[in-house]
Amino acid sequence: MPAPRPQPAWLASSVLYQIYPQSFADGNGDGIGDLAGALERLDHLAWLGVDAVWFSPLFASPFADAGYDVADYLSVAPRYGTNEDLVAFVDAARSRGIRVLLD
């Protein structure tokens, strides 16, 4: 068995905030949370002292298992936005010192 990788130093004292995309924040008014809604809440997360946002699966999926049945790890599920929306979220989070983890 290979030796475990060392934990990144930043992780030891970080505040992580998990976001379940479809119920966190709806940015376009369709009743389903999305990346646009999450982006609108970034300043609040920064105010809370969040160091990293951990997204539950937000990739393309048939949603038979709440999105954990990922069909395409390279494409954001259309209900949550686009790959460009994810890039915009990551860039905005980074500018606030917040890391982004994808499940």
Side-chain angles (χ1 to χ4, degrees), residues 5 41 65 85:
R5 292 188 305 186
R41 304 312 192 279
D65 189 21
D85 293 332

Side-chain angles (χ1 to χ4, degrees), residues 2 12-13 20 23 33 45 48 58-59 61 64 69-71 75 88 92 95 102:
S13 61
Y20 184 63
S23 63
L45 296 177
L48 289 172
L58 49 66
F59 298 106
S61 163
D69 51 335
V70 173
S75 299
S95 75
L102 303 175

